[in-house]
Amino acid sequence: MSGNWREKNSGSKCVISMHSRTTTIIQDPKNPEYTKTFTFDLAYWSHNGFQKDKDGVFISADPSSKFAGQRDVFHDLGRGILDSTWQGYNTTLLAYGQTGSGKSYSMIGFGANKGIIPNVCEELFQAIENREKNQEYQVTFSMLEIYNEQVRDLLSKTKKPGGLKVREDQQLGFYVDGLKSVPCENYAQIERLMEQGTKIRTTASTNMNASSSRSHMVITIQFKQVFLDRDLSKQSSINLVDLAGSERQKSSGSEGDRLKEGSRVNLSLTNLGNVISALADAAMGKKVLHIPYRDSVLTKLLQSALGGNSRTTLIAAISPADICYEETLSTLRYAERAKKIRNKAVVNTSTLMRESRAENNKLLLGRGNSRMADELGHQLEQARSEWQQHFVAIAQEQQMMKTFPHLLNVNEDPQLTGVLKYFIEAGSCDAGQAASNAITLQGLGISDKHASFTNSDGKVTVTPHGKCKVIVNGVPITTKTKLQHLDRIILGSNSAYLYIGFPSERGSEDLSRFDYDFFQLERAALEGVSVDKLGAVNSGDGKADPSVLAVFQDYIKLMPLVAEANQMSEELKKGLNMELKVKNLASSDSRGHDLQKEVMVKATNQRTRQVWIWSKAKFINRKFLMEELYQRFLDGEDSHVAQEDDPFWDPAEVIHLGSAHIWLQSLAYCMKFEEQVEFLNCDGLEEAVLHIHIGPCSPTGQARGEEDVVTDPLELLGKRMDFQIRIVRCLGTKWLKEDAERGVQMGYRIYDFPNTLYTKPVWKTVNPQIEETVQFTALNASQEFLNYLQTNALIVDLWGLQEGCAELSCSQPGLMVTGEGHIMVDTKKISAVMDKGQATSNQIPELYLKLLKLEQETELLRNLNRVLREENVFLKESIEKTGSSQQAHKPSNTLKLTGMTAQLPAAREINQMRTQQASCDREFAKALKVFYQSMNVARGQFLKLRHYKPPEDDQMLRPFVHQQSQMLKDFGDLLESSLWKLKNDVALIVKKKRECLLHME
C-alpha cells in the first residue's frame, strides 16, 4: 500500500490501517464508524515510516516502523517465484490497482529501489552462474503491451498494423504469433532489453496518444533446465503482468451515454474480472457453465495462469487516501475474490528422447537436436550484435548528456519519464514530426515544423512556428523565449518535456519533483483553478475537504485529456470545442450550504452553437471513441462515421444555465415581497436576472394586506396558509444573447412538493416575459413548514433550450390540489392517511380534506368565541372601573340613567384605544417588512462576497482589494442602517403604545 505525491500534498486523510502482516482495515471517510476488514496471505505497509539509505534505497526509519521495502516484497514473493521456477512450475505474478497506487513501482521499481521483475531476473542469473557442469540452462525474454485489444511487441522497432495476432495451438494453447523472444546469457542483457522495451513503449504511447496507464504490459521469461546426466529437462514459464489502471473500468463506463462503452480499451480488464469471478464461484462449489477466457486478448494469454497449470500471485496495490476510498474498496474486494481461486500446477518435465521424437514430426530424428541448437545459436549471435550496438548508443548518449542542453520527456507513468532525450546542439535546430528535423517529435498537435531551438552564446531559446502551441512554465508563448535550466515545456496538446540546461547551470537537483502532475498543476494555476479556489478548506477545523480534493484531482487528470480531445476535433475538422467546468462551484442548496461539486465538460459545436454538458465518465468514454476514430485517420483509413455513431456529436439537449435563490423568511410573517435576483451559473457569474413576486393570499387568491402581517410565525401554526409565486420575467439572459434562436424555461420546487414546476418555454427573446402565477396551500401549517420558510430559499433553475431539444414538461398529472384547485404543500399528514387507506385511496383524500376544513372552521369559531369572551370581560371591567370612579365624585342621589350615559364616552375611549392598538400593529408589521427586505438584499451581498475570489494576476490585486473593501463597506452600511431603522421604528411604536396606555389610565 502506498500514497502518491498528489494525495500526500493535497491534505488527504489515511483511511487504511494494518494491524498485522495479513490484515487490512478500511474506514469509510463519510461514516468513520463503518470499517471493513480484509485478510490476505500478506499485507505490506509502505505509506510512511521510511527513510533513504546512502544508496537511495527506502528502508525502515526505526525498528518499530511497519514499513515494507522492495527487498521485503521480493523476499516473500520473488523468492517464491524463483523457487517454483527451479522446481519446474509455471509461475505468474499479476499487479492490479488504480493508477498511482504503486503497481508499476512494485513490479519494475524506480531508481535504486528495484521492483520484483529486475530482482527475479538478477537472482535467476546469479543462481545460473553457480550451476553444476552437467546442467545447461536456456533463458529467453519477451515483452509485449496490450492496448485497445491490440498486441504490440516491445522488443521490435517495427509496428505491425492492427497488432500481432493471438492464435491457438492444441499443445501450446494461446500464443502471440510473431512475438520476438530473445535468448539472454546474463542479467545485464535483460536489463538492456527492458530499457529498449520501455523506450519503444514510451514512443508508442506518445505516437498513439495512448496513456500507458490504460495498457497492460506482459513480460514472459522462458526458463529451460537440461540435466544431461539424467536425460531430463524442466521447462518453466514466468509471466510478469503489470495491468492497466483499474479505475478506468469505472470512470470510463458509458453511464448516461447513448454510445457503447469506450471501444475496447477496457475490455481485457473487465473480462479479467469476469474470469476471476467465475473461477472464484467454481472454487466455492457453485455451478459455473462457462469461463469467458476467449472474450479478450489478455485472458486468452493468461488462461493457464488464471485457472490452470501455474502458481499465481496477485499483488493488489491500493491508495490509503480518503479521496480514493471507493477505488481502494473495489480493489480489496477484487483481491478477496481472486484469493478463492485454486490452481493445480504441475512440474513441467520431459526426457530428451521425448523432445527429439516431438521434433521428428517435422524433421528426421538425427537432425532434430542439431536444428534446435543451430537456431538457438543464430538467435544468440543476432542478440549479441544488437546488444553491442545498444551499448555503443548508450555510451554515446551518456556523453552527450554531459555536454549539451537537452529535453527529457515527462510521462504520466513515472516508469516512462526521462526515457526519451532530445539534444540541442550548437546552432539552430527545428523540432516537429517531419523526419528532416534535427529533433523528430511525435505527439498529438505537433506539426511537421513545430518550433525551433537555438543554442548560441551560452543560451538556448525556443521559437514557435506560426500558431503552433508551445507552453513554457504553464504560460503559452508566441515569440522567441529564453530557456532556463529546469523550465517545463509543453509542445502540441500535451507532449511534456523538462529542459536540462548547460552543465554549468546544473546542480544536484531532484528532477523527480518535476513529474507529470507538476506540469498539470502549473497549467491549472494559470487557468485560475486551485484547491483554494474550489473552497477545499472547511470553516470548522481548517482541514481540507476530501470531496473537494477529489474534484481537484479529477480536474487535473482531465485537463490533458480535454486538450487532446480538442486537438483531435481540430484535426478531424469536427468543430467541437470542449472545456472543463466544475459543477456547483459557486452553488448552494436551499439553506445556503455548498452543494457537492463535480467535474464536467462543456462541449460546444462552433458551427451550430449547440451545447452539451458531459459528466466525467461520459467524457472519458467519448475520449476513447475519439482516439479510435483519430487512429483510423492517422492510419489513412476512412474516418467518416454516421452522425449517430460520431463521438463528437449528440442530439440536442436542455442545458442547466444557473440558479437563483429567493429567501422565504418574509412569507413566514405573512408579508409579500418582490425581488430581482441573479441567476448564477456554475462559475458563480451572473447568467440572467429573475423578476419574481411571492406573497400571501386568501383561498380565493386575494392579496393579503398589512393588517394580516404576524409578528411571530407561531401565530400561523395549524392554520391554513395560501401564497402565490409569480414569475414575472427574465432579464439580460446571456444564453439568448449568444444565439437569438434559443429559448429558456424555469423550474422550481418548494418544501415537500415532489415535482418540479416548469414555466412555459419562451423562444427568441433576450428578456422573456413569463407572467406565470401558481398558488400553493398549506391546509394545516406545521412547525416544520414554518421553520422551512424562515431558514430556506426557493431555488429557481434556469434552463436553456436549443433547436431540436425536447422542452421540459409543464404538465403535472396526479397533483394533490385543494377544492379551489390550488397545489397543496406541507402534506405529510395527508400522505400518512393516504398510505394507511390504500384500499379506498380515491375517497380518503376528499374525506380528509373535508374533515380538515371542518376542524379548521371549528378552531376558527373557538378562537372567535375566546376573543369575544375576552372582550366582554375587558369591557365589563372597564365599565365597572369607570362607574366606580364616577360614583366617588358624584352625589348619591344621581339617577342610574346618568351613570349609564356617562359610560358611553368611556366605551368610545376603549374603541379609540383599540384602533390605536391596531394602528401600532400595522406600523410594526411595516417596520418588519422593510427590515426583512433589507436583510434579503444583505444576504445576497454576503453570498456574493463568499464566492468573490482574488485574481491570480498580481497587477489586478490592488483593484480587487479596493473593490472587496467597497463591497464590505456597502454590506456593513446596509446592515447598520437596517438595524438602526428597525430600532427607531420599534422605539416609535413603543412610544405610541405607552401614550395610549397612559391615556387609558
Side-chain angles (χ1 to χ4, degrees):
M1 179 202 72
S2 66
N4 64 29
W5 177 92
R6 188 191 294 159
E7 292 157 8
K8 290 178 180 178
N9 286 275
S10 62
S12 299
K13 298 174 186 173
C14 181
V15 293
I16 293 289
S17 56
M18 293 178 179
H19 301 304
S20 73
R21 292 267 334 257
T22 59
T23 304
T24 302
I25 301 170
I26 186 168
Q27 179 188 51
D28 186 344
K30 293 179 182 176
N31 182 16
E33 293 179 2
Y34 174 78
T35 60
K36 185 164 177 59
T37 302
F38 295 86
T39 303
F40 301 106
D41 298 313
L42 290 163
Y44 297 104
W45 181 271
S46 57
H47 176 52
N48 56 19
F50 60 87
Q51 62 185 17
K52 275 186 184 181
D53 68 7
K54 59 182 176 59
D55 298 318
V57 176
F58 295 127
I59 58 172
S60 293
D62 57 72
S64 63
S65 171
K66 297 182 289 182
F67 175 75
Q70 294 282 52
R71 295 304 300 179
D72 299 309
V73 177
F74 173 73
H75 182 271
D76 294 334
L77 303 182
R79 289 244 160 79
I81 291 171
L82 283 173
D83 291 344
S84 296
T85 300
W86 283 104
Q87 291 171 45
Y89 290 103
N90 293 332
T91 58
T92 301
L93 180 64
L94 300 159
Y96 178 90
Q98 74 178 105
T99 301
S101 60
K103 288 190 299 28
S104 300
Y105 177 78
S106 299
M107 295 293 276
I108 307 291
F110 192 77
N113 296 276
K114 291 181 180 178
I116 292 176
I117 294 176
N119 279 321
V120 162
C121 295
E122 188 172 18
E123 293 223 356
L124 176 65
F125 279 104
Q126 283 176 2
I128 288 174
E129 286 174 9
N130 300 322
R131 68 185 182 274
E132 296 178 17
K133 291 180 180 179
N134 58 353
Q135 294 178 17
E136 289 183 359
Y137 303 93
Q138 296 170 9
V139 178
T140 62
F141 180 92
S142 66
M143 187 175 181
L144 65 83
E145 180 180 56
I146 302 170
Y147 175 76
N148 205 14
E149 289 300 280
Q150 292 187 9
V151 178
R152 170 79 188 253
D153 187 347
L154 293 177
L155 299 183
S156 173
K157 293 179 181 178
T158 57
K159 182 199 170 191
K160 188 175 180 181
L164 300 178
K165 301 299 179 189
V166 175
R167 305 196 186 280
E168 188 175 12
D169 181 87
Q170 286 187 348
Q171 272 85 32
L172 299 173
F174 289 106
Y175 68 97
V176 179
D177 189 18
L179 181 68
K180 191 172 182 180
S181 188
V182 181
C184 299
E185 296 174 300
N186 53 54
Y187 170 64
Q189 292 173 351
I190 281 188
E191 209 171 22
R192 295 293 170 262
L193 287 171
M194 286 179 64
E195 287 176 8
Q196 180 185 331
T198 303
K199 192 167 187 176
I200 290 173
R201 191 182 188 200
T202 306
T203 307
S205 168
T206 308
N207 292 357
M208 292 173 62
N209 182 41
S211 167
S212 65
S213 64
R214 302 204 300 268
S215 67
H216 314 284
M217 184 184 71
V218 182
I219 288 176
T220 302
I221 299 167
Q222 297 289 351
F223 178 53
K224 185 174 183 179
Q225 307 170 67
V226 180
F227 303 92
L228 298 172
D229 58 341
R230 288 188 282 165
D231 190 28
L232 182 74
S233 72
K234 289 182 182 179
Q235 179 77 40
S236 304
S237 178
I238 308 172
N239 293 302
L240 304 162
V241 186
D242 189 0
L243 294 167
S246 60
E247 79 284 350
R248 303 289 178 180
Q249 206 171 351
K250 184 183 77 171
S251 300
S252 64
S254 53
E255 56 186 67
D257 198 348
R258 63 187 176 82
L259 297 181
K260 62 175 181 173
E261 181 168 344
S263 68
R264 297 168 294 170
V265 170
N266 291 321
L267 181 60
S268 278
L269 198 62
T270 303
N271 196 55
L272 178 63
N274 296 338
V275 168
I276 284 175
S277 293
L279 290 170
D281 288 344
M284 297 296 289
K286 295 181 182 178
K287 189 176 181 181
V288 177
L289 299 176
H290 172 63
I291 310 291
Y293 292 115
R294 296 175 178 272
D295 290 359
S296 73
V297 168
L298 180 69
T299 48
K300 282 179 183 177
L301 296 179
L302 296 179
Q303 180 172 353
S304 63
L306 294 169
N309 181 21
S310 176
R311 288 183 169 179
T312 300
T313 303
L314 174 74
I315 293 178
I318 60 173
S319 163
D322 51 5
I323 57 176
C324 299
Y325 170 75
E326 295 295 340
E327 293 291 352
T328 297
L329 183 60
S330 173
T331 300
L332 290 169
R333 285 173 174 159
Y334 191 98
E336 191 175 47
R337 285 198 304 275
K339 189 180 68 169
K340 297 172 183 173
I341 300 172
R342 293 288 178 266
N343 279 5
K344 295 178 182 177
V346 296
V347 175
N348 304 300
T349 61
S350 63
T351 63
L352 297 180
M353 187 61 70
R354 195 194 318 163
E355 290 180 13
S356 297
R357 281 199 298 271
E359 182 65 19
N360 196 37
N361 292 332
K362 297 178 182 176
L363 300 168
L364 294 173
L365 179 61
R367 296 173 57 197
N369 288 334
S370 174
R371 176 177 172 179
M372 288 172 65
D374 290 346
E375 188 175 328
L376 186 63
H378 174 70
Q379 288 178 347
L380 276 169
E381 192 60 41
Q382 187 178 354
R384 287 191 191 107
S385 175
E386 289 178 0
W387 287 324
Q388 189 60 38
Q389 294 172 19
H390 192 60
F391 283 130
V392 171
I394 287 174
Q396 185 181 0
E397 184 181 83
Q398 288 175 344
Q399 184 58 42
M400 292 183 76
M401 287 174 68
K402 294 175 184 176
T403 310
F404 296 107
H406 53 276
L407 304 177
L408 289 179
N409 79 298
V410 177
N411 195 284
E412 182 183 10
D413 184 347
Q415 304 292 335
L416 307 186
T417 291
V419 172
L420 305 178
K421 303 167 186 72
Y422 302 99
F423 298 99
I424 305 169
E425 299 184 47
S428 182
C429 59
D430 289 332
Q433 297 226 23
S436 58
N437 293 319
I439 297 176
T440 306
L441 301 173
Q442 301 293 329
L444 193 58
I446 293 182
S447 305
D448 285 347
K449 297 277 187 197
H450 196 88
S452 293
F453 290 88
T454 304
N455 177 351
S456 177
D457 299 328
K459 64 179 181 180
V460 172
T461 59
V462 59
T463 309
H465 278 234
K467 294 183 179 179
C468 293
K469 298 172 188 171
V470 177
I471 296 173
V472 177
N473 300 335
V475 181
I477 64 166
T478 55
T479 58
K480 181 188 285 190
T481 303
K482 183 185 175 185
L483 295 178
Q484 305 285 345
H485 178 53
L486 300 181
D487 274 351
R488 282 78 57 204
I489 302 169
I490 295 176
L491 303 176
S493 62
N494 199 38
S495 295
Y497 303 92
L498 183 66
Y499 170 70
I500 306 299
F502 291 94
S504 59
E505 297 178 84
R506 303 174 200 172
S508 56
E509 305 93 353
D510 179 12
L511 301 186
S512 65
R513 75 185 185 95
F514 298 105
D515 60 3
Y516 189 78
D517 286 341
F518 191 99
F519 280 67
Q520 303 310 326
L521 288 167
E522 202 164 47
R523 289 176 76 176
L526 186 72
E527 292 181 14
V529 178
S530 65
V531 176
D532 293 337
K533 286 289 178 68
L534 294 178
V537 178
N538 291 328
S539 56
D541 56 8
K543 292 182 180 177
D545 181 345
S547 65
V548 177
L549 290 174
V551 169
F552 182 62
Q553 280 210 5
D554 284 343
Y555 194 97
I556 296 301
K557 281 181 186 175
L558 290 190
M559 271 182 60
L561 302 187
V562 170
E564 291 164 5
N566 279 328
Q567 185 64 39
M568 287 188 280
S569 171
E570 186 180 319
E571 292 187 34
L572 292 170
K573 295 182 171 54
K574 294 293 183 179
L576 190 71
N577 181 65
M578 288 149 275
E579 56 181 320
L580 270 177
K581 295 285 184 183
V582 179
K583 186 179 179 181
N584 299 328
L585 176 62
S587 304
S588 51
D589 63 14
S590 64
R591 295 177 66 87
H593 301 147
D594 288 347
L595 289 172
Q596 183 79 29
K597 297 174 177 64
E598 60 182 87
V599 173
M600 59 185 184
V601 174
K602 180 182 178 182
T604 306
N605 187 305
Q606 293 168 311
R607 291 192 295 270
T608 65
R609 305 295 298 167
Q610 277 197 330
V611 177
W612 299 277
I613 301 295
W614 291 343
S615 67
K616 169 192 164 187
K618 184 172 180 178
F619 167 73
I620 292 176
N621 187 52
R622 289 301 176 91
K623 172 73 165 38
F624 290 150
L625 294 169
M626 290 172 188
E627 285 175 12
E628 207 169 64
L629 195 63
Y630 183 70
Q631 195 59 46
R632 279 160 53 185
F633 166 74
L634 291 181
D635 293 341
E637 300 174 18
D638 182 14
S639 58
H640 175 75
V641 288
Q643 188 181 62
E644 60 270 18
D645 297 325
D646 191 348
F648 292 91
W649 179 86
D650 256 346
E653 60 186 36
V654 180
I655 302 297
H656 184 258
L657 301 177
S659 303
H661 285 58
I662 301 94
W663 296 94
L664 299 169
Q665 196 172 29
S666 298
L667 206 55
Y669 293 87
C670 232
M671 293 190 293
K672 65 181 179 182
F673 56 99
E674 175 182 353
E675 287 198 44
Q676 289 195 352
V677 191
E678 294 172 323
F679 279 111
L680 298 179
N681 62 22
C682 67
D683 296 322
L685 303 174
E686 182 185 306
E687 179 66 32
V689 174
L690 169 67
H691 185 185
I692 188 169
H693 290 204
I694 298 180
C697 63
S698 68
T700 57
Q702 297 297 314
R704 296 286 188 189
E706 290 175 353
E707 65 278 2
D708 296 304
V709 172
V710 298
T711 55
D712 186 348
L714 285 175
E715 294 179 43
L716 302 173
L717 184 62
K719 297 181 181 177
R720 173 167 176 158
M721 279 187 71
D722 286 86
F723 58 94
Q724 291 180 345
I725 296 177
R726 176 184 164 213
I727 295 181
V728 183
R729 66 178 69 83
C730 189
L731 302 166
T733 313
K734 287 182 182 177
W735 172 257
L736 300 169
K737 287 178 182 177
E738 290 170 2
D739 188 341
E741 297 299 307
R742 292 170 172 171
V744 291
Q745 279 184 274
M746 277 166 264
Y748 62 89
R749 284 173 55 187
I750 187 162
Y751 192 48
D752 60 355
F753 186 63
N755 305 336
T756 300
L757 293 171
Y758 293 106
T759 61
K760 289 175 184 173
V762 180
W763 293 83
K764 304 179 182 180
T765 173
V766 175
N767 300 315
Q769 198 76 14
I770 309 295
E771 287 296 351
E772 287 193 21
T773 303
V774 178
Q775 184 161 331
F776 297 90
T777 302
L779 292 173
N780 189 5
S782 66
Q783 182 67 62
E784 292 84 0
F785 179 58
L786 294 174
N787 291 343
Y788 164 82
L789 293 178
Q790 292 175 81
T791 57
N792 284 255
L794 175 74
I795 298 178
V796 180
D797 290 306
L798 181 64
W799 296 90
L801 307 176
Q802 43 195 340
E803 189 179 353
C805 76
E807 297 172 348
L808 298 166
S809 174
C810 302
S811 62
Q812 295 288 344
L815 291 180
M816 290 182 70
V817 294
T818 63
E820 302 92 348
H822 309 319
I823 295 174
M824 290 171 60
V825 292
D826 196 14
T827 57
K828 284 182 182 176
K829 283 187 180 179
I830 301 173
S831 300
V833 173
M834 288 176 68
D835 289 341
K836 288 176 185 175
Q838 288 298 322
T840 55
S841 57
N842 293 330
Q843 299 173 5
I844 289 289
E846 189 178 345
L847 290 171
Y848 180 76
L849 292 177
K850 285 180 179 177
L851 182 63
L852 201 59
K853 193 169 183 181
L854 188 63
E855 282 182 2
Q856 287 178 325
E857 287 174 354
T858 306
E859 184 63 26
L860 191 65
L861 287 171
R862 285 198 197 100
N863 290 340
L864 188 61
N865 191 34
R866 187 172 63 252
V867 170
L868 287 171
R869 279 204 307 273
E870 287 173 358
E871 283 197 9
N872 195 22
V873 170
F874 181 79
L875 281 169
K876 187 177 178 184
E877 288 175 351
S878 299
I879 289 168
E880 286 175 356
K881 191 174 180 182
T882 308
S884 60
S885 173
Q886 288 185 355
Q887 201 102 26
H889 295 289
K890 289 186 180 281
S892 57
N893 60 352
T894 306
L895 290 172
K896 287 183 180 179
L897 183 62
T898 310
M900 289 294 292
T901 53
Q903 289 173 12
L904 292 176
R908 277 197 297 273
E909 284 179 13
I910 290 166
N911 287 334
Q912 188 180 357
M913 180 191 71
R914 290 195 177 280
T915 304
Q916 288 173 336
Q917 173 74 18
S919 173
C920 286
D921 286 345
R922 278 196 300 274
E923 291 295 325
F924 188 52
K926 279 182 187 176
L928 277 177
K929 182 179 178 181
V930 171
F931 178 70
Y932 286 127
Q933 285 173 343
S934 300
M935 284 300 97
N936 279 338
V937 175
R939 196 194 299 260
Q941 287 189 2
F942 179 68
L943 285 173
K944 207 169 186 178
L945 276 167
R946 271 183 64 193
H947 297 298
Y948 200 56
K949 303 292 183 185
E952 292 292 327
D953 188 354
D954 290 345
Q955 293 181 347
M956 297 300 294
L957 203 56
R958 190 180 294 276
F960 167 79
V961 171
H962 176 73
Q963 192 174 357
Q964 185 89 334
S965 301
Q966 188 60 46
M967 288 174 74
L968 282 167
K969 183 179 180 300
D970 293 344
F971 176 67
D973 290 348
L974 178 63
L975 204 60
E976 195 174 328
S977 64
S978 301
L979 290 169
W980 180 83
K981 188 167 188 333
L982 181 67
K983 184 179 174 183
N984 276 8
D985 289 344
V986 171
L988 193 63
I989 293 164
V990 169
K991 185 181 176 185
K992 282 185 180 179
K993 276 202 167 189
R994 281 179 179 167
E995 287 174 355
C996 177
L997 288 169
L998 284 170
H999 180 72
M1000 177 182 165
E1001 288 173 2

